[in-house]
Coordinates of all heavy atoms in Angstrom, one line a residue:
P31 N 91.5 97.9 120.4 CA 92.1 99.1 119.9 C 92.9 98.8 118.7 O 93.0 99.6 117.8 CB 93.0 99.6 121.0 CG 92.4 98.9 122.1 CD 91.8 97.7 121.8
L32 N 93.7 97.7 118.5 CA 94.4 97.4 117.4 C 93.5 97.2 116.1 O 94.0 97.8 115.1 CB 95.3 96.1 117.6 CG 96.1 95.7 116.5 CD1 97.1 96.8 116.2 CD2 96.8 94.3 116.8
A33 N 92.4 96.5 116.3 CA 91.4 96.4 115.2 C 90.9 97.8 114.7 O 90.8 98.0 113.5 CB 90.3 95.4 115.5
V34 N 90.7 98.6 115.6 CA 90.2 100.0 115.2 C 91.4 100.8 114.5 O 91.0 101.5 113.4 CB 89.7 100.9 116.4 CG1 89.5 102.2 116.1 CG2 88.5 100.1 117.0
G35 N 92.6 100.7 115.0 CA 93.6 101.3 114.2 C 93.8 100.8 112.8 O 94.1 101.6 111.8
I36 N 93.9 99.4 112.7 CA 94.0 98.8 111.4 C 92.9 99.3 110.4 O 93.2 99.7 109.3 CB 94.1 97.3 111.5 CG1 95.5 97.0 112.2 CG2 94.1 96.7 110.0 CD1 95.5 95.5 112.5
A37 N 91.7 99.4 110.9 CA 90.6 99.7 110.0 C 90.6 101.2 109.6 O 90.4 101.6 108.5 CB 89.2 99.5 110.8
T38 N 91.1 102.1 110.5 CA 91.3 103.5 110.2 C 92.4 103.5 109.2 O 92.2 104.4 108.2 CB 91.8 104.2 111.5 OG1 90.9 104.0 112.5 CG2 92.0 105.8 111.1
V39 N 93.5 102.9 109.1 CA 94.5 103.0 108.2 C 94.0 102.5 106.8 O 94.2 103.1 105.8 CB 95.8 102.2 108.6 CG1 96.8 102.0 107.4 CG2 96.4 102.8 109.7
L40 N 93.3 101.3 106.9 CA 92.8 100.7 105.6 C 91.8 101.8 104.9 O 91.8 101.9 103.7 CB 92.2 99.4 105.7 CG 93.2 98.3 106.2 CD1 92.5 97.0 106.5 CD2 94.2 98.1 105.0
L41 N 90.9 102.4 105.7 CA 89.9 103.2 105.2 C 90.5 104.6 104.6 O 90.0 105.2 103.7 CB 88.7 103.4 106.2 CG 87.9 102.2 106.6 CD1 86.9 102.6 107.6 CD2 87.2 101.7 105.3
S42 N 91.5 104.9 105.4 CA 92.1 106.3 104.9 C 92.9 106.1 103.7 O 93.1 107.0 102.9 CB 93.2 106.8 106.0 OG 94.2 106.0 106.2
A43 N 93.2 104.9 103.2 CA 94.0 104.6 102.1 C 93.0 104.7 100.8 O 93.5 104.7 99.7 CB 94.6 103.2 102.2
C44 N 91.7 104.6 101.2 CA 90.7 104.6 100.1 C 90.4 106.1 99.7 O 89.3 106.3 99.0 CB 89.5 103.8 100.5 SG 89.9 102.1 100.6
G45 N 91.0 107.1 100.3 CA 90.7 108.4 100.1 C 90.9 109.0 98.7 O 91.5 108.2 97.9
G46 N 90.5 110.1 98.3 CA 90.6 110.7 97.0 C 91.8 111.4 96.8 O 91.9 112.1 95.7
N47 N 92.9 111.4 97.7 CA 94.1 112.1 97.4 C 95.1 111.5 96.6 O 96.3 111.2 97.1 CB 94.7 112.6 98.7 CG 93.7 113.5 99.5 OD1 92.9 114.2 98.9 ND2 93.8 113.6 100.8
R48 N 94.8 111.1 95.5 CA 95.7 110.2 94.6 C 96.6 111.2 93.8 O 96.0 112.1 93.2 CB 95.0 109.2 93.8 CG 94.3 108.2 94.6 CD 93.8 107.1 93.8 NE 94.8 106.6 92.9 CZ 94.7 105.6 92.0 NH1 93.5 105.1 91.6 NH2 95.6 105.1 91.2
Q49 N 97.8 110.8 93.6 CA 98.7 111.6 92.6 C 99.3 110.6 91.7 O 99.7 109.6 92.0 CB 99.8 112.3 93.4 CG 99.3 113.3 94.1 CD 100.5 114.1 94.9 OE1 101.5 113.6 95.1 NE2 100.3 115.4 95.3
D50 N 99.2 110.9 90.3 CA 99.9 110.0 89.4 C 101.4 110.4 89.3 O 101.7 111.5 89.5 CB 99.2 110.2 88.0 CG 97.8 109.7 88.0 OD1 97.4 108.9 88.7 OD2 97.0 110.2 87.1
A51 N 102.1 109.4 89.1 CA 103.6 109.5 89.0 C 104.2 108.8 87.9 O 103.6 107.7 87.6 CB 104.2 109.1 90.3
D52 N 105.1 109.4 87.1 CA 105.8 108.7 86.1 C 107.3 108.4 86.6 O 107.9 109.2 87.3 CB 105.9 109.7 85.0 CG 104.6 109.9 84.3 OD1 103.8 109.0 84.4 OD2 104.3 111.1 83.8
V53 N 107.7 107.2 86.3 CA 109.0 106.8 86.6 C 109.8 106.8 85.3 O 109.4 106.1 84.4 CB 109.0 105.4 87.3 CG1 110.4 104.9 87.6 CG2 108.2 105.5 88.5
Y54 N 111.1 107.4 85.3 CA 111.9 107.5 84.1 C 113.1 106.7 84.5 O 113.6 106.9 85.5 CB 112.2 108.9 83.8 CG 110.9 109.8 83.5 CD1 110.5 110.8 84.3 CD2 110.3 109.6 82.3 CE1 109.3 111.6 84.0 CE2 109.1 110.3 82.0 CZ 108.6 111.2 82.7 OH 107.5 111.9 82.5

Side-chain angles (χ1 to χ4, degrees):
L32 180 61
V34 172
I36 291 171
T38 302
V39 169
L40 291 176
L41 291 176
S42 67
C44 297
N47 295 335
R48 292 186 61 179
Q49 289 183 341
D50 292 334
D52 293 326
V53 177
Y54 301 108

